[in-house]
Amino acid sequence: MIKELLSSKFVQNTGKSWLQQEGTRHFIGRGLLMANGASWSHQRHIVAPAFMADKLKGHVGYMVECTKKMVRNLYDVIGSSTRTEVEIGGYLTMLTADIIARTEFDTSYETGRRIFHLLDKLQILTAQSSRYLWIPGSRFFPSKFRREIKSIKADVERLLMAIIETKKEGAEFGRMSSYGKGLLGMLLAEMQKKKEGFSYDLELIMDECKTFFFAGHETSALLLTWTVMLLATNNDWQEKARAEVLEVCGDGVPTADHLPKLTVLQMIINESLRLYPPASLLPRMAFQDFKLGDLHIPKGLSIWIPVLAIHHDKSLWGNDANEFNPDRFSGRSFALTRNFLPFASGPRNCVGQAYALMEAKIILAMLLSSFSFTISENYRHAPVNVLTLKPKHGVQIYLKPLRV
């Protein structure tokens, strides 16, 4: 029934509710994640080419260079020590922020860092403010809380507008032949097309930028953070993954041709996504009456797909469902079943899925070839849901350099 609900059959009959859209209005606005119906179809069609295989291969060099910089920073932190504690989540968050800023928005690390810092604050405030949406009229009450949200939103949009204006000026005055190859360049080119019906305006482009700035680094950073935690607590799998990386990549850095051969690493990533899916819940609303299996679904009904519960269901995954066992993904077909939903499923699945998996493989491969790591006794396991599934107190690990 879940597979059927997420299929193309119901893609126009279901979508994001008013409550969800209103709750994220100041955060990601009308971006792809919150779009419905014909608007969603148009937006998906326009952004999808930015994440196609040929485009992604062109990003490998950026991803490797950004990761090299993080590895150098970690070596500097360690210095001459043979074992140093670091909170790895913070490093991975800034790394994925750097990568998405460079690959899809052609902007500097510093500008990207400021945008992500503001979006992080906006995410927390938005999650808190959505609690009050259940009270009719509450969104119209002036408060210090709402003034802060609007102030941060304005700061984000000023930074995005500066990036957009730079690109527009470069194209208009001939300094650049186009608006760029990344997602932002494609959106600006689309805005110039005069079409009837759906079209992009500056406000929608900024909403799309916020959506992909957030989704392109937040979920990737969490996938990497949880995977490092699991490898730090399961040394045998860490050694298997490191041996595979050395066999496939040798002493060099990963290339696009290496990535499909890292099958053990893919199994580990899948198991991490099963245990700690970034989006633990997929909410949908019925926009008209329809039949789902034996159920009559009335218009206006909210349907919640509990991804976290499905991923930990012992009847589906066995008695070891709560344990880390990448071997369960050794049969490739099993990873593609309806029971595995880290990126949702069907037409509304995550458009950046291939991007996230490629990025995760490159970063993990380079970490594994540079360091061995174990979990710190200061680590406190406390996953918490704030739109995404986060480690509340971070992930503290001991790093030991493998190269001098």
Side-chain angles (χ1 to χ4, degrees):
M1 289 169 69
I2 289 168
K3 187 180 181 182
E4 185 182 0
L5 180 68
L6 295 175
S7 72
S8 57
K9 180 179 177 182
F10 295 114
V11 73
Q12 298 296 333
N13 298 350
T14 62
K16 300 305 171 82
S17 69
W18 173 88
L19 200 65
Q20 282 181 278
Q21 292 176 327
E22 187 62 27
T24 58
R25 181 163 58 95
H26 296 300
F27 179 39
I28 53 178
R30 295 182 294 145
L32 180 65
L33 202 59
M34 287 295 144
N36 287 325
S39 293
W40 170 82
S41 296
H42 286 296
Q43 287 171 248
R44 175 85 181 204
H45 177 73
I46 289 162
V47 304
F51 301 98
M52 295 296 187
D54 57 331
K55 290 270 188 184
L56 294 181
K57 284 185 179 179
H59 295 332
V60 171
Y62 279 119
M63 292 179 177
V64 168
E65 287 307 310
C66 292
T67 308
K68 277 183 179 177
K69 187 170 73 174
M70 184 195 73
V71 168
R72 286 195 297 269
N73 288 343
L74 288 171
Y75 269 108
D76 290 343
V77 168
I78 291 170
S80 58
S81 173
T82 56
R83 197 176 78 148
T84 304
E85 183 185 286
V86 297
E87 197 290 291
I88 197 65
Y91 286 93
L92 294 170
T93 298
M94 293 316 303
L95 172 59
T96 54
D98 190 14
I99 289 171
I100 193 77
R102 291 171 189 263
T103 57
E104 300 304 335
F105 298 95
D106 296 323
T107 192
S108 69
Y109 166 77
E110 182 57 32
T111 303
R113 187 185 68 80
R114 288 165 64 197
I115 291 171
F116 295 121
H117 175 67
L118 290 168
L119 282 177
D120 193 51
K121 290 170 69 176
L122 202 53
Q123 178 195 7
I124 294 166
L125 289 170
T126 298
Q128 291 173 342
S129 68
S130 64
R131 298 172 190 167
Y132 304 107
L133 281 170
W134 299 97
I135 304 170
S138 63
R139 70 189 192 282
F140 300 116
F141 296 156
S143 68
K144 181 182 175 183
F145 196 59
R146 287 181 179 78
R147 283 196 298 272
E148 189 176 0
I149 287 176
K150 287 184 178 179
S151 173
I152 295 172
K153 181 193 174 191
D155 289 342
V156 171
E157 291 182 350
R158 271 194 293 272
L159 289 169
L160 290 174
M161 199 66 211
I163 299 170
I164 289 168
E165 288 300 328
T166 300
K167 282 191 165 293
K168 287 175 71 178
E169 287 174 11
E172 287 166 10
F173 292 107
R175 291 196 299 271
M176 296 183 291
S177 58
S178 70
Y179 293 110
K181 296 179 181 178
L183 175 66
L184 179 55
M186 294 174 67
L187 293 174
L188 289 172
E190 186 67 26
M191 189 175 72
Q192 302 308 309
K193 297 176 183 176
K194 304 298 181 185
K195 296 192 300 187
E196 292 184 12
F198 178 88
S199 62
Y200 270 93
D201 55 23
L202 272 177
E203 184 184 357
L204 182 53
I205 284 180
M206 283 198 282
D207 285 346
E208 213 72 277
C209 287
K210 285 184 282 186
T211 297
F212 283 92
F213 258 120
F214 166 70
H217 98 283
E218 172 84 356
T219 52
S220 294
L222 289 172
L223 161 58
L224 287 160
T225 302
W226 288 122
T227 306
V228 168
M229 184 278 291
L230 288 164
L231 289 174
T233 50
N234 292 272
N235 189 61
D236 53 339
W237 279 103
Q238 185 182 149
E239 291 301 328
K240 284 181 190 177
R242 183 175 294 110
E244 180 185 68
V245 169
L246 292 174
E247 181 184 343
V248 172
C249 305
D251 292 330
V253 296
T255 66
D257 293 333
H258 289 147
L259 300 183
K261 300 173 185 175
L262 296 172
T263 54
V264 171
L265 194 54
Q266 183 63 62
M267 288 159 52
I268 289 167
I269 290 169
N270 283 345
E271 182 68 340
S272 176
L273 286 167
R274 185 187 71 83
L275 289 168
Y276 303 100
S280 60
L281 188 72
L282 298 175
R284 294 288 187 269
M285 174 164 275
F287 297 145
Q288 61 187 57
D289 294 0
F290 59 85
K291 192 89 170 171
L292 182 65
D294 295 330
L295 293 179
H296 170 70
I297 306 295
K299 178 181 176 180
L301 185 74
S302 284
I303 306 166
W304 290 7
I305 300 167
V307 176
L308 193 63
I310 294 165
H311 282 191
H312 287 254
D313 191 324
K314 291 183 180 180
S315 67
L316 299 173
W317 300 95
N319 289 330
D320 66 344
N322 294 322
E323 297 171 21
F324 179 68
N325 177 18
D327 269 331
R328 72 178 86 247
F329 287 101
S330 57
R332 178 173 166 75
S333 60
F334 191 65
L336 306 177
T337 66
R338 60 183 177 271
N339 304 327
F340 187 56
L341 301 166
F343 298 103
S345 179
R348 285 199 73 138
N349 70 345
C350 174
V351 72
Q353 176 176 346
Y355 179 101
L357 291 174
M358 183 177 83
E359 180 183 44
K361 277 190 175 181
I362 289 169
I363 294 169
L364 289 168
M366 292 178 70
L367 271 177
L368 285 162
S369 61
S370 301
F371 306 98
S372 65
F373 35 92
T374 53
I375 204 75
S376 166
E377 61 268 17
N378 295 317
Y379 172 66
R380 294 293 176 268
H381 192 62
V384 61
N385 230 345
V386 187
L387 297 184
T388 48
L389 193 63
K390 296 182 173 185
K392 184 176 182 180
H393 307 297
V395 172
Q396 295 79 22
I397 60 170
Y398 289 120
L399 280 180
K400 180 182 178 183
L402 296 175
R403 298 176 181 176
V404 179

